[in-house]
Amino acid sequence: MSDFLNNLNTSQLESTLQMSGPMIVIAGAGSGKTRVLTYKIAYLMTQGVDPFNILALTFTNKAAREMKERIANIVGDEAKNLWMGTFHSVFARILRIEAHKIGYTSNFTIYDSDDSQKLVARIIKELNLDKEQYKYKIIFSRISSMKNNFISADQYINDEEMLLSDKISNRPKFHQIYKQYVDRCFKAGAMDFDDLLLKTNELLNSYPDTLSKYQNIFRYILVDEYQDTNHSQYLIVRSLSDKFQNICVVGDDAQSIYSFRGANINNILNFQKDFPDSKIFRLEQNYRSTKNIVNAANSIIKYNQKRLKKNVWTNNESGEKISVNKLLTDGEEGRFVASSIFENKMQSQMKNSDFAILYRTNAQSRSFEDALRKKNIPYRVYGGLSFYQRKEIKDVLAYLRLLINNDDEQAFKRIINFPARGIGLTTLNKIAIEAKNKSVSDYTFLKNYSKSSSILNNSTKNKLLEFVVMIESIKAKLKSLDVFEITKEVLKQSGLYNLYKNDESMEGVNRIQNIEELLNGIKDFVENNDKNQVSVSTFLQDVALATDQDNESNDNNKVALMTIHLAKGLEFPFVYIVGLEENLFPSAMNLNSRTDLEEERRLFYVALTRAEKKIYLSYVLSRYRWGKPVDSEKSRFIDEINDEFIENNIIQNSTNRDFSNDVQYNKIGLRYKKPEKRPPSNFIKIKSSSIKSNLFDSKLVVGNIVMHERFGKGRVISIEGSGGDKKAEIKFEKNGIKKLLLRFSKLEIIS
């Protein structure tokens, strides 16, 4: 037996050694499922299976990269030949090979959700529909749902029941939007995320020879997080595995929490019905959490009727009981959590990154952010605007997209007049009409027909042709330069770099820093890929398929604030699960059916199983809604936890006064008066010269002479705001008047 298998427990080993036939691995939280998947693939390769014949599907690029690295450490460079990645990235790769069969070129654009939603919004506007009645996000969500259920635009138009449903919901023109959206995407040579699955199914269903080709390639198929697959993914996996039946799915039905994205828990629940000869393996030993946490989670999930049988257990220590904390208001809740984190850090010498605050909705973060700031505890809110969604980054990427796909409508409209070239909306509308009449894209019209157009004046023609010349001159270098060099050309010739470089506001500084970081990232991409994989096309695909977690940095020592959905797959020593009130968690939107309520309970199970050592639960008696206090009721989920695993704490505060400066909480969450401050025995005195100027903003007054590392010397002429929002207007000797946010300014007071 290979030495690496010695690291597996009995259950893990049994599932790893099973090579042929269908099998399901039911993996409890913290049970080492990633290790099993990794070792199973490595074991197949050591037994002579060609890595080109192994398909491994994950839900994040990060997970695929980490697994591939671990496999390479066992079997060597042959791991590079594995077909391993997310569903979308693997199927995009197949579609680029086979694109001509379904009417696309291999350089088709991949629209992210932002691109898709903007296109839907534009169609709604062009059809003169009421944007309140036809909210573009809702419309796009419905289009996505139709695609994932294989209902095409043409089928929709001929379905009387669906058309009647649209009339009842006061959106009778939905079918027109759907049809135009599909047609516009196809004309632009673009696929959205749903198309990557829809078109793969279309390819496999319409071309039996293509299905047979990939069935013979993918003789061994492994799927991670099978409980999160949607109907489209399920059908593709079924089709590809049908010939050899060597399929291994790994997942945990108790962690199925993404039905709002189309995930279907029945895929994992019915696996044995789909494959009657399948073998079942259970990974039930939890290596992450204490006995109290594991047993509390078990006591919760047993209330769900739709679940697979398993008994999760651990050999870890018993650990502390779960702390249940009752507070009066959401402001109190925020102060309690911040004080508890502060105290745990001091008592247990923990890092900020050892703590996570988990909530049901993003809107709940405010009170915790306020309280953490007052305690000077660094934090990070996950799920905010990701790097590649920032305006300046999307501007650069739009230029790159148009270079490789001249029919990309979204990219063209984004950059044709940015930076400003004097090309207005009237001109763009004329171009769109003429392009439509000639059945070409807007850019193709500019390139081939604008010079002879009778609807454009000479001045406008010159501006448009200058744009075409710029694009074509950069495009001519695509074969000789990699994506890094091409991006530098784009920044230089388009004027984007100078536009942001000359903007000396804080926003301008941030944007140029982001563009610099984009170049850093592209350089890293070039240096870490083969020479034939560093084109603009491959880079854009890598960016388009990035997931939220892939874009998150892991090196920040900050308290993590995030929704429970984002926390799945993560773990922290200390976890605070907040807002445990009826109609908030469980959500009021998911109380109408047992199916919805059971998913809410699985979400709570996921939250509990993120913790390694200690869990704090909190709920309030009154929570602000639209500026008014509304009475709250304790969540039913708290009562479902077995009493032997919890301790209840009541934290009283009958005033609205901010106690953050004179009240702390002891180990079990009860308030006590803060003792007189004395330096600890290991206290080290810091020289005042080493303290940065962000600590002196309270001393800054009008008339001060200050020094800024970029703008030089200046005089303070006015101050406004307070706390973290305090700003100063400063007249610099060489750079004029600037308004700076003091907490970011790094000023030095000279006099």
Side-chain angles (χ1 to χ4, degrees):
M1 187 184 299
S2 302
D3 290 342
F4 66 88
L5 298 179
N6 294 333
N7 297 322
L8 302 176
N9 65 33
T10 303
S11 299
Q12 293 170 337
L13 182 61
E14 288 176 354
S15 55
T16 299
L17 294 179
Q18 179 66 36
M19 286 186 61
S20 60
M23 59 180 286
I24 178 173
V25 180
I26 303 170
S31 63
K33 71 174 180 63
T34 303
R35 173 176 286 188
V36 167
L37 268 175
T38 303
Y39 283 18
K40 187 171 185 65
I41 294 169
Y43 181 70
L44 287 171
M45 292 174 65
T46 63
Q47 298 304 300
V49 176
D50 191 328
F52 283 104
N53 294 141
I54 298 174
L55 170 63
L57 297 168
T58 66
F59 273 85
T60 68
N61 293 312
K62 180 181 176 184
R65 283 195 302 268
E66 290 177 351
M67 285 174 61
K68 213 167 191 176
E69 287 170 5
R70 293 185 193 180
I71 295 167
N73 289 335
I74 299 172
V75 301
D77 288 344
E78 276 292 291
K80 292 180 180 178
N81 298 324
L82 290 164
W83 282 74
M84 177 178 281
T86 64
F87 283 86
H88 291 93
S89 64
V90 169
F91 299 152
R93 182 177 168 187
I94 292 173
L95 287 170
R96 291 204 187 280
I97 297 170
E98 311 291 345
H100 62 282
K101 294 180 180 176
I102 54 174
Y104 285 82
T105 68
S106 60
N107 273 337
F108 62 81
T109 298
I110 299 174
Y111 279 178
D112 63 19
S113 58
D114 184 53
D115 296 317
S116 300
Q117 288 177 11
K118 283 183 177 176
L119 177 56
V120 169
R122 185 174 291 119
I123 292 170
I124 290 169
K125 184 176 181 181
E126 290 171 0
L127 292 174
N128 294 317
L129 299 175
D130 185 341
K131 65 180 181 180
E132 291 302 314
Q133 187 176 326
Y134 291 87
K135 293 185 176 179
Y136 69 92
K137 289 186 178 181
I138 294 176
I139 297 298
F140 174 67
S141 178
R142 184 159 173 78
I143 290 173
S144 176
S145 178
M146 292 303 107
K147 287 186 176 184
N148 280 317
N149 285 286
F150 300 104
I151 301 171
S152 69
D154 291 334
Q155 288 173 317
Y156 196 99
I157 290 171
N158 293 315
D159 192 309
E160 292 184 6
E161 189 175 327
M162 289 187 174
L163 296 179
L164 178 61
S165 174
D166 287 337
K167 286 182 180 178
I168 293 172
S169 62
N170 208 24
R171 288 193 289 264
K173 302 291 185 182
F174 170 79
H175 65 282
Q176 291 184 26
I177 303 171
Y178 186 9
K179 176 65 174 172
Q180 283 208 28
Y181 174 78
V182 171
D183 290 345
R184 296 268 281 270
C185 283
F186 185 74
K187 180 183 174 184
M191 294 189 197
D192 62 22
F193 272 24
D194 298 314
D195 285 330
L196 295 177
L197 304 179
L198 182 69
K199 301 298 182 184
T200 301
N201 266 305
E202 180 184 322
L203 182 71
L204 298 178
N205 289 333
S206 302
Y207 298 89
D209 57 328
T210 303
L211 172 60
S212 179
K213 170 185 172 181
Y214 287 101
Q215 284 178 334
N216 285 319
I217 292 175
F218 303 139
R219 297 183 177 223
Y220 292 85
I221 299 175
L222 302 96
V223 186
D224 191 15
E225 304 286 11
Y226 192 63
Q227 77 280 351
D228 294 335
T229 53
N230 62 27
H231 186 59
S232 192
Q233 291 162 332
Y234 162 81
L235 289 176
I236 294 170
V237 170
R238 280 293 307 271
S239 296
L240 291 175
S241 64
D242 194 46
K243 184 172 184 178
F244 292 98
Q245 299 267 310
N246 294 324
I247 177 170
C248 170
V249 302
V250 182
D252 182 6
D253 58 296
Q255 297 186 65
S256 178
I257 59 173
Y258 294 120
S259 66
F260 66 94
R261 293 182 187 170
N264 187 349
I265 191 174
N266 290 318
N267 292 347
I268 192 168
L269 294 177
N270 296 332
F271 182 83
Q272 289 174 283
K273 292 181 181 177
D274 293 332
F275 297 92
D277 297 328
S278 62
K279 293 188 177 180
I280 184 167
F281 299 88
R282 292 181 175 85
L283 306 183
E284 297 173 312
Q285 183 175 359
N286 179 296
Y287 291 93
R288 176 187 300 155
S289 308
T290 64
K291 284 187 174 71
N292 264 310
I293 292 171
V294 169
N295 292 333
N298 286 342
S299 71
I300 279 287
I301 205 63
K302 72 179 183 183
Y303 283 91
N304 275 9
Q305 293 181 6
K306 292 179 69 174
R307 59 192 178 96
L308 296 172
K309 180 184 175 184
K310 66 176 178 296
N311 179 39
V312 181
W313 58 277
T314 184
N315 272 332
N316 293 341
E317 63 181 2
S318 294
E320 295 186 49
K321 291 188 175 183
I322 294 175
S323 173
V324 179
N325 302 278
K326 173 183 176 182
L327 300 117
L328 292 182
T329 67
D330 44 354
E332 276 279 294
E333 185 180 39
R335 290 190 285 275
F336 157 68
V337 170
S339 294
S340 177
I341 290 174
F342 181 85
E343 184 182 343
N344 277 314
K345 278 179 60 183
M346 296 301 103
Q347 289 186 351
S348 306
Q349 300 300 302
M350 307 298 289
K351 298 180 295 184
N352 293 313
S353 55
D354 290 330
F355 299 87
I357 303 171
L358 307 182
Y359 35 74
R360 183 65 180 81
T361 65
N362 275 312
Q364 291 170 252
S365 72
R366 182 198 56 79
S367 64
F368 304 102
E369 292 187 66
D370 289 347
L372 290 169
R373 278 197 299 266
K374 289 176 181 177
K375 287 284 185 185
N376 291 319
I377 299 174
Y379 67 88
R380 179 176 185 180
V381 180
Y382 285 71
L385 200 61
S386 70
F387 182 80
Y388 290 107
Q389 293 297 324
R390 294 169 187 170
K391 179 190 182 303
E392 59 275 14
I393 302 304
K394 295 209 74 168
D395 292 336
V396 178
L397 297 181
Y399 274 93
L400 296 179
R401 283 167 44 178
L402 191 65
L403 286 175
I404 65 166
N405 180 3
N406 291 166
D407 296 332
D408 190 329
E409 179 185 3
Q410 293 293 98
F412 173 82
K413 290 186 182 301
R414 185 179 189 99
I415 64 175
I416 181 62
N417 196 41
F418 191 80
R421 300 182 176 90
I423 301 169
L425 186 60
T426 301
T427 299
L428 291 178
N429 288 336
K430 289 179 180 178
I431 293 170
I433 292 170
E434 286 292 292
K436 189 173 183 179
N437 290 338
K438 294 185 179 297
S439 298
V440 297
S441 68
D442 292 5
Y443 180 84
T444 301
F445 171 79
L446 293 191
K447 182 181 175 183
N448 298 331
Y449 302 103
S450 62
K451 203 169 184 179
S452 59
S453 173
S454 60
I455 64 169
L456 301 172
N457 61 45
N458 289 334
S459 174
T460 300
K461 287 180 183 178
N462 289 336
K463 293 171 185 174
L464 294 171
L465 289 173
E466 283 177 9
F467 176 78
V468 171
V469 169
M470 176 192 66
I471 294 295
E472 293 299 311
S473 67
I474 303 174
K475 188 177 174 183
K477 301 176 182 178
L478 282 174
K479 291 184 179 179
S480 59
L481 299 180
D482 61 37
V483 61
F484 178 74
E485 297 297 334
I486 289 292
T487 305
K488 288 200 298 184
E489 286 288 315
V490 164
L491 288 168
K492 179 182 176 183
Q493 293 196 40
S494 68
L496 280 174
Y497 183 78
N498 285 335
L499 175 73
Y500 291 126
K501 187 70 175 176
N502 294 331
D503 181 359
E504 294 182 343
S505 69
M506 186 59 67
E507 187 178 38
V509 171
N510 288 336
R511 283 184 167 164
I512 201 66
Q513 288 174 346
N514 287 336
I515 287 176
E516 289 174 16
E517 185 57 31
L518 173 65
L519 285 173
N520 292 339
I522 295 175
K523 188 67 174 175
D524 185 67
F525 173 83
V526 169
E527 291 178 350
N528 286 282
N529 282 280
D530 296 332
K531 288 185 178 180
N532 61 346
Q533 291 292 317
V534 293
S535 66
V536 173
S537 180
T538 53
F539 172 73
L540 287 176
Q541 176 169 308
D542 198 64
V543 169
L545 297 175
T547 64
D548 288 344
Q549 286 191 7
D550 295 328
N551 293 330
E552 302 293 2
S553 171
N554 294 319
D555 59 359
N556 289 336
N557 183 25
K558 297 179 179 178
V559 174
L561 279 72
M562 65 182 79
T563 63
I564 302 164
H565 283 101
L566 274 182
K568 186 170 175 290
L570 304 178
E571 55 189 47
F572 305 89
F574 290 77
V575 170
Y576 295 78
I577 307 172
V578 299
L580 276 160
E581 297 131 39
E582 287 293 299
N583 299 319
L584 183 55
F585 194 14
S587 167
M589 294 185 293
N590 291 328
L591 294 176
N592 299 319
S593 71
R594 179 174 296 281
T595 298
D596 291 340
L597 178 59
E598 291 201 352
E599 175 145 339
E600 287 288 299
R601 189 176 286 111
R602 291 194 296 270
L603 190 61
F604 185 46
Y605 176 86
V606 167
L608 291 172
T609 54
R610 297 313 92 202
E612 298 170 357
K613 295 182 178 180
K614 177 69 176 178
I615 295 175
Y616 294 84
L617 308 180
S618 60
Y619 66 98
V620 304
L621 299 181
S622 177
R623 185 172 294 276
Y624 275 91
R625 305 273 170 87
W626 300 101
K628 295 180 179 179
V630 177
D631 290 344
S632 302
E633 179 187 349
K634 179 173 66 170
S635 170
R636 69 189 72 188
F637 294 154
I638 293 177
D639 292 330
E640 289 176 357
I641 301 175
N642 194 308
D643 288 342
E644 67 180 289
F645 307 124
I646 65 174
E647 58 183 7
N648 288 284
N649 304 306
I650 301 174
I651 300 164
Q652 298 291 348
N653 180 5
S654 57
T655 76
N656 291 323
R657 185 159 60 92
D658 184 353
F659 285 88
S660 60
N661 291 322
D662 61 0
V663 173
Q664 286 187 336
Y665 299 85
N666 63 18
K667 195 170 184 180
I668 62 169
L670 297 176
R671 283 181 36 241
Y672 67 96
K673 190 71 176 177
K674 189 184 294 185
E676 181 181 347
K677 288 185 178 179
R678 292 188 179 88
S681 58
N682 61 348
F683 178 76
I684 300 173
K685 189 173 182 180
I686 303 173
K687 293 181 180 178
S688 60
S689 60
S690 69
I691 301 176
K692 285 292 182 183
S693 59
N694 61 340
L695 301 178
F696 72 70
D697 64 349
S698 61
K699 299 178 183 177
L700 192 69
V701 296
V702 173
N704 276 149
I705 303 297
V706 296
M707 179 64 72
H708 185 271
E709 61 183 17
R710 180 176 177 193
F711 301 133
K713 187 187 290 187
R715 180 185 295 274
V716 179
I717 57 178
S718 71
I719 297 175
E720 62 183 54
S722 61
D725 296 324
K726 185 180 286 188
K727 300 173 184 175
E729 199 168 27
I730 303 170
K731 185 175 183 180
F732 291 99
E733 292 178 354
K734 295 182 179 179
N735 289 283
I737 297 174
K738 307 288 182 188
K739 183 174 284 189
L740 304 176
L741 196 62
L742 290 180
R743 61 192 171 111
F744 294 130
S745 63
K746 297 182 180 178
L747 292 171
E748 179 185 351
I749 297 177
I750 298 176
S751 64

